[in-house]
Amino acid sequence: MRNPQLNANGELTHLLTLEGLPSDVIRNILDTADPFVSIAEREVKKVPLLRGKAVFNLFFENSTRTRTTFEIAAKRLSADVINLNVGASSTSKGETLLDTVDNLVAMDADIFVVRHAQSGAPHLIAQHLNTHGRSHVHVINAGDGRHAHPTQGLLDLYTIRHYKREFRDLKVAIVGDVLHSRVARSLIHGLTTLGTPEVRVIGPMTLLPAKVEAMGVRVFHDMREGLAGCDAVVMLRLQSERMKGALLPSAGEFFKHYGLTQKKLTLAKPDVIVMHPGPMNRGVEIDSAVADGERSVILPQVTFGIAVRMAVMSIVAGN
Amino acid sequence: MKIEFANGRIVDPANGVDRIAPLYVAAGRVAAIGNAPAGWHANRVIDASGLVVAPGLIDISARLREPGLEYKATLESEMAAAIAGGVTSLACPPDTDPPLDEPGLVEMLKHRARSLNQAHVHPIGALTVQLQGKALTEMGELVEAGCVAFSHADVPLVDTQLMWRAMQYASTFGYALWLRPSDPHLGRGGVAHDGEVATRLGLAGIPALAETVALSTILSLARDTGVRIHLCRLSCAQSVELVRAAKRDGVAVSADVAVHHLHLSDVDIGWFDSDAHLVPPLRTTRDRDALRAGIADGTIDLICSDHAPVDEDSKQVPFAEAEPGATGLELLLPLTLKWASEDQIALPVALAKITSEPARLVGAGAGDLGVGCIADVCVFDPQAWWRVERSALRSQGKNTPFLGLEVQGRVRYTLVAGQVVHEG
């Protein structure tokens, strides 16, 4: 089965998931992002790489932050950006997902940035475009259900590489609601592809998906054991609807077992970095003292995220 | 019409027949095998050299989508698919719109089917009114109208007390219940087997427990009530084990498996192929192998297609939103033959799983080529290869995870009550 995001030459034409991407494709994205980071520090923050291209932000699920970072990234590449909050328009009138896409293709879209509540929706769109002779239109997954959030995974990889240089000696822990997390899945695929020797997931059995160890991770239920000796800790957002019910008794009890505090952090390596995809729930998964502390790289993640998204857009548009 | 099939290999599992001999059909029945009846004059002689002459296939789960869901399929399209697949008798689940919960609907369906003069249709009555799981249907009336059994289709039966009462009532009158074990809570919201693949793809999982917990409940209640129980669509290894143990203990229970579950696993979902969105879900290769072992050793009695034609619009959506099901009437034979050849199962044994074994459930003398039996016959070329393609399927539903696969076994003639209704 051919990876639907690569063309016949093995080049990236859609970014749907980090799963199955060759490591050199991932490294190339990270390398391409490097110069874009410094663009942000210049007086004029624009390059003409996507001049004349139309980027459609197709958000079937609300997200101000991710949409904004894609918008900034596209504008810095000089693209025209059209934001569509589809959740509020055509689908509520009964139009199907693929009808919406066909209509936008007819408006000469070059890149779709897609967020959807259902796992696999960007794959469906990419396959539809590929099989209907529209393979010049590119799809970038901005988060689909629990499945993948590849640009977040890439910016996490970029952040880790920025602070730790290489992946081959690292221990990375991902903590919290892995079950519902597309961020966790994308990061796990990225880390294992780049040869990280130990990727850990930490959480209660109710928040870890079945057979997660088959993704190449070590499973810990005790946070103290799981944090021991880690080089990077990635805290996941706990959605408020998960905080009460059959998965967890309360946010307070979750924080007690799996919240990141300064005290627990001392079990990791002294130079550990603390990451979070945002938006944070202070006092639920992370203590403010850690979030704002010296080991936190949560705000640099956001900055790198724009550069990584610029890299992805410029690469797919060139293939 | 008198028809003679000459030189064919007659495989009739019901009577233990497997030999090359002529088959004579007259007045809608099997007139003789081997020696021609006295004064025989055939209207038509068909050379069946190299072909297998078998009883017409019996598929105990084929959705015809009538009444109410004609945009997915019609009786015309699906009956054409049935006879093209060699299926001469089929039982249709009650999950139509409205459900088959009153005698008028069943009579109408039977009447429509009879007027098409193709496969025999045996409706399965809804166990509860509107399949809502609240009140029993008028089972006696439904049986008189032609229902062969009662089921809840794929709608979970939440109320175990009602299930118990239904079994007691059915047992009183000797009615059969065909139930698919599915716990309504454990599988809630799930769309794929709760395992590696669902985890990787971020799909909500249906644990094997959803089936085994319900199966244990059904077996306990069946033991208590003595009702005739048939377990539909087993999908996991542990279920096979539970049924094996129950049979060892002497519980009167039978079971089936959908033919796609003998070949596919959750890995075949690939990148969100909605044609592989099935109910019950495709499980692991270990489960698939256990199902194969279960059908081979008789723990699972029979194979069905679980035919579910789905319109394109209902499949061209993200995996979780796609309507589950696969078209299957035309694939029942080739996929059964594929299993038999891969697992070195003798042809008569394999054919029993789709003829004489399901015949025990639908009754009506089907699945039997004994002299004097109704001449429902499937004559097929076991060697012929063909490719499963949209254009090759008569069913209105083109939804199958086997699209593109080369399969062996092509139906050449289908006879229903002595009439040639399909030639291919």
Side-chain angles (χ1 to χ4, degrees), chain A residues 19 118-119 123 147 185 210 214, chain B residues 196 199-202 271 320-321:
Chain A
E19 184 190 354
Q118 291 292 355
S119 300
H123 272 84
H147 170 236
R185 284 174 176 79
Chain B
E196 280 175 44
T199 288
R200 227 168 23 78
L201 295 177
W271 297 108
E321 291 173 358

Side-chain angles (χ1 to χ4, degrees), chain A residues 13-14 110-113 129 135-140 316-319:
Chain A
T13 59
H14 307 290
D110 294 293
I111 295 178
F112 287 118
V113 175
L129 295 171
S135 47
H136 58 278
V137 184
H138 309 284
V139 178
I140 297 173
V316 295
N319 287 331

Side-chain angles (χ1 to χ4, degrees), chain B residues 125-356:
Chain B
L127 184 60
T128 68
V129 175
Q130 295 284 308
L131 290 174
Q132 283 175 347
K134 295 196 175 118
L136 299 182
T137 51
E138 293 177 310
M139 294 194 209
E141 301 273 315
L142 286 165
V143 166
E144 272 178 35
C147 287
V148 289
F150 295 90
S151 96
H152 225 250
D154 287 323
V155 182
L157 201 49
V158 180
D159 183 342
T160 41
Q161 187 186 56
L162 182 131
M163 194 192 290
W164 185 38
R165 296 296 184 213
M167 286 189 193
Q168 288 177 325
Y169 189 80
S171 181
T172 307
F173 299 99
Y175 304 144
L177 298 195
W178 298 0
L179 298 178
R180 185 171 78 77
S182 165
D183 184 275
H185 306 295
L186 283 166
R188 192 169 50 222
V191 294
H193 172 66
D194 195 30
E196 280 175 44
V197 172
T199 288
R200 227 168 23 78
L201 295 177
L203 297 171
I206 302 172
L209 279 172
E211 182 166 303
T212 56
V213 167
L215 182 51
S216 302
T217 304
I218 291 172
L219 287 173
S220 297
L221 298 175
R223 263 196 191 103
D224 179 73
T225 56
V227 70
R228 280 196 289 147
I229 276 285
H230 175 73
L231 299 162
C232 303
R233 314 309 101 79
L234 300 190
S235 73
C236 52
Q238 189 61 33
S239 298
V240 179
E241 210 36 67
L242 286 168
V243 173
R244 193 172 280 135
K247 285 191 166 184
R248 208 160 40 217
D249 293 349
V251 182
V253 63
S254 55
D256 73 62
V257 61
V259 74
H260 37 245
H261 278 98
L262 296 180
H263 295 287
L264 303 178
S265 70
D266 55 357
V267 173
D268 293 293
I269 293 172
W271 297 108
F272 304 99
D273 179 3
S274 61
D275 281 339
H277 186 172
L278 302 171
V279 168
L282 294 170
R283 298 198 185 272
T284 66
T285 49
R286 200 182 131 260
D287 293 304
R288 182 196 60 195
D289 293 347
L291 292 168
R292 284 180 165 228
I295 187 79
D297 73 11
T299 302
I300 301 173
D301 300 80
L302 61 108
I303 304 171
C304 68
S305 75
D306 205 23
H307 179 73
V310 174
D311 55 305
E312 200 95 329
D313 285 349
S314 301
K315 283 288 191 186
Q316 287 289 319
V317 291
F319 187 90
E321 291 173 358
E323 181 176 329
T327 188
L329 276 166
E330 294 155 271
L331 298 173
L332 180 61
L333 177 70
L335 292 176
T336 301
L337 296 176
K338 182 175 161 66
W339 158 68
S341 98
E342 287 168 0
D343 282 9
Q344 276 124 48
I345 305 290
L347 184 63
V349 176
L351 287 178
K353 312 296 187 189
I354 49 177
T355 61
S356 53

Side-chain angles (χ1 to χ4, degrees), chain B residues 19-83:
Chain B
R19 65 186 173 114
I20 292 177
L23 178 89
Y24 302 93
V25 172
R29 292 182 181 267
V30 177
I33 288 175
N35 298 320
W40 175 261
H41 274 288
N43 303 100
R44 185 173 177 191
V45 178
I46 294 170
D47 182 12
S49 303
L51 304 183
V52 172
V53 179
L57 312 187
I58 301 169
D59 190 349
I60 68 146
S61 182
R63 289 169 188 80
L64 306 174
R65 300 305 195 191
E66 283 194 32
L69 303 167
E70 289 83 357
Y71 60 98
K72 295 187 194 300
T74 60
L75 227 49
E76 281 81 0
S77 64
E78 302 322 288
M79 297 289 263
I83 55 174

